[in-house]
Amino acid sequence: MSKTYDVIIVGSGPNGIAAGITLQKAGLSTLIIEGRDTVGGGMRTADLIEPGYRHDICSAIHPMALLLRFLPLWI
């Protein structure tokens, strides 16, 4: 059985999820494809060193949000 979609989004990071929600609210059938086992893109959290010691993968910029003048424009 095949299904057609109006939009296919590659990547389930914050932008992909936001785009998918926006497009579905607009009435478009949307498929989000993620290559990893979990959703989240650079907003993932994982046990990198040992179990229970969690890291936010790719999100080193978030602690800097208040220091960077341009971030409040797009957060």
Side-chain angles (χ1 to χ4, degrees):
M1 182 165 100
S2 66
K3 179 167 174 143
T4 59
Y5 296 93
D6 296 315
V7 179
I8 298 175
I9 299 169
V10 178
S12 66
N15 294 328
I17 296 292
I21 291 169
T22 302
L23 293 165
Q24 286 189 332
K25 282 182 165 182
L28 299 172
S29 63
T30 306
L31 173 66
I32 300 175
I33 299 173
E34 174 57 51
R36 303 280 184 166
D37 293 339
T38 58
V39 300
M43 297 292 291
R44 281 188 187 88
T45 301
D47 295 340
L48 296 179
I49 296 176
E50 61 184 66
Y53 193 73
R54 316 256 318 151
H55 292 270
D56 291 329
I57 300 170
C58 300
S59 65
I61 189 102
H62 297 110
M64 302 287 292
L66 295 176
L67 299 176
L68 299 174
R69 294 175 63 201
F70 68 91
L71 279 179
L73 298 175
W74 54 269
I75 289 181

